[in-house]
Amino acid sequence: MTLKNRVAMSPMLMYMAGDDGKVTDRHFVHYGARFLGGVGLVMTEVVAVDPRGRISGHDLGLWSDGQIRGLQRLTAFAHDCGTKIGIQLAHAGRKSASQEIIVGPSALPYGDFPVPHELSTREVQELVVAYRDAAVRAVHAGFDCLEIHAGHGYLLHEFLSPITNQRSDEYGGSATDRAKFALDVITEVRAVWPDDKPLMVRVSAEDCIEGGLTLEDTDDLVKDFISLGVDLIDASSGNIAPGYVGDIFPGYQAKYSRRIRKACGIPTATVGSISTPEVAEMVVSSGSADLVFLGRALLRNPFWALGAAKAAGVELDLPIPTYARATGPYERGF
Ligand SMILES: Cc1cc2nc3c(=O)[nH]c(=O)nc-3n(C[C@H](O)[C@H](O)[C@H](O)COP(=O)(O)O)c2cc1C
């Protein structure tokens, strides 16, 4: 996949899908503004593989064929604008706020959320199939790349972390067994996701709490991901349990993408408090990441890439070139 620049919009849940998990007009305005703004890769917000896996009642979903059409129109719009578009697939697990009965690897609640139903071995296997089926639908919808969300305390991360996974079947116990769910999902998704399209995984590189996943655990995990055909690691951190407050500064998570890139030899993306072109440039030129994911900076300003190109003195390939006039010298009206 060749991008026109290394600016990527990070997945951001916008709470504007219908109750049916389908795309609405608001998605076209929201994502469309970033297509027109020259972003190289736009990632969708989290898209649920199962109705019980929605974070909110207004998440996008891809658990049924009827949900393909709206996403297909969105990818066609992106391509018409010369923008690549990726989908983030996930299941919220015990952090779902949309369901009466929520599920997780073990009956351990997240903060004051309800106690989750411990998924049976069979239910875990059914979810592996749900990920695969959603990936097949994502192929039909025309996405350029696919990211599996295995971080931020959602279901796959809940299985990976010893904090949340106390199972005694083949999906719990040792680090290898806790990884089995994620590895099964990656195997099944890779089998149906086209070879020439990148498969990415978002990880929380460390849990940042005692007894949680460490950087060394993540190195081992990422090596397994690579052996199954994962092409890029999107390195975030934390969120397995409430209460962690770490230092946040521009590019604070670049140390994770850098470490994984060097230790595991795989392209990486970084994300986290990057809002200026200078920090984004430093992250890439220092070899800390191959791709820069921007979240809130692109919420504030869909034309962030236009300003960054102006600052760098390069011309941006814009779908509507007239926008470039906004950064030129003062013009008299005509
Ligand atoms: C409104 C909002 C929604 C988010 N939704 C998601 C999501 O759907 N999936 C995800 O992996 N991260 C999500 N995040 C986290 C962002 O992708 C990103 O990792 C985080 O905001 C840090 O980057 P930033 O400082 O550039 O915003 C969300 C963040 C925000 C602000």
Side-chain angles (χ1 to χ4, degrees), residues 9-15 44-47 55 59 88 90 147 149 151-152 154 202 234 236-237 239 248 252-253 271-275 293-300:
M9 182 157 93
S10 198
M12 279 182 290
L13 175 56
M14 300 311 295
Y15 308 94
T44 68
E45 61 207 89
V46 69
V47 177
I55 296 171
D59 291 19
Q88 186 188 55
E147 177 171 275
H149 196 349
H152 295 178
Y154 296 118
R202 172 164 275 195
D234 166 15
S236 188
S237 66
N239 288 309
I248 294 186
Y252 70 102
Q253 297 194 116
V271 63
S273 270
I274 298 173
S275 57
F293 275 36
L294 301 181
R296 289 159 303 153
L298 273 169
L299 271 193
R300 285 194 293 277

Side-chain angles (χ1 to χ4, degrees), residues 95-308:
K95 283 174 77 176
S96 168
S98 72
Q99 307 294 309
E100 272 175 34
I101 298 176
I102 59 174
V103 303
S106 303
L108 299 166
Y110 177 84
D112 55 9
F113 276 56
V115 176
H117 156 70
E118 179 173 321
L119 288 163
S120 67
T121 306
R122 191 196 168 100
E123 285 173 320
V124 177
Q125 289 159 350
E126 284 168 359
L127 283 175
V128 173
V129 175
Y131 272 93
R132 185 201 62 201
D133 291 351
V136 170
R137 295 186 187 104
V139 177
H140 291 308
F143 285 100
D144 300 295
C145 60
L146 185 153
E147 177 171 275
I148 296 169
H149 196 349
H152 295 178
Y154 296 118
L155 191 62
L156 288 174
H157 186 189
E158 289 162 18
F159 272 78
L160 292 171
S161 177
I163 302 279
T164 37
N165 183 344
Q166 294 178 3
R167 300 175 70 89
S168 51
D169 66 354
E170 69 250 48
Y171 292 101
S174 68
T176 312
D177 292 337
R178 281 185 276 108
K180 180 171 165 49
F181 183 29
L183 299 179
D184 286 358
V185 166
I186 291 169
T187 304
E188 289 299 312
V189 169
R190 186 73 273 185
V192 297
W193 186 246
D195 285 346
D196 60 342
K197 293 190 176 190
L199 178 63
M200 301 145 52
V201 179
R202 172 164 275 195
V203 295
S204 281
E206 58 176 341
D207 282 344
C208 308
I209 49 176
E210 210 179 318
L213 288 175
T214 63
L215 296 174
E216 291 74 23
D217 295 331
T218 299
D219 288 348
D220 292 342
L221 200 59
V222 168
K223 286 174 190 158
D224 288 342
F225 291 173
I226 295 171
S227 72
L228 297 177
V230 169
D231 300 293
L232 181 140
I233 299 294
D234 166 15
S236 188
S237 66
N239 288 309
I240 193 69
Y244 166 75
V245 188
D247 287 339
I248 294 186
F249 50 88
Y252 70 102
Q253 297 194 116
K255 62 182 179 192
Y256 301 127
S257 55
R258 183 180 179 84
R259 177 189 171 103
I260 293 169
R261 197 169 183 262
K262 306 269 178 224
C264 307
I266 182 170
T268 58
T270 187
V271 63
S273 270
I274 298 173
S275 57
T276 64
E278 291 75 17
V279 174
E281 175 63 25
M282 201 168 68
V283 163
V284 172
S285 59
S286 64
S288 294
D290 299 272
L291 204 53
V292 180
F293 275 36
L294 301 181
R296 289 159 303 153
L298 273 169
L299 271 193
R300 285 194 293 277
N301 176 11
F303 291 93
W304 188 93
L306 186 58

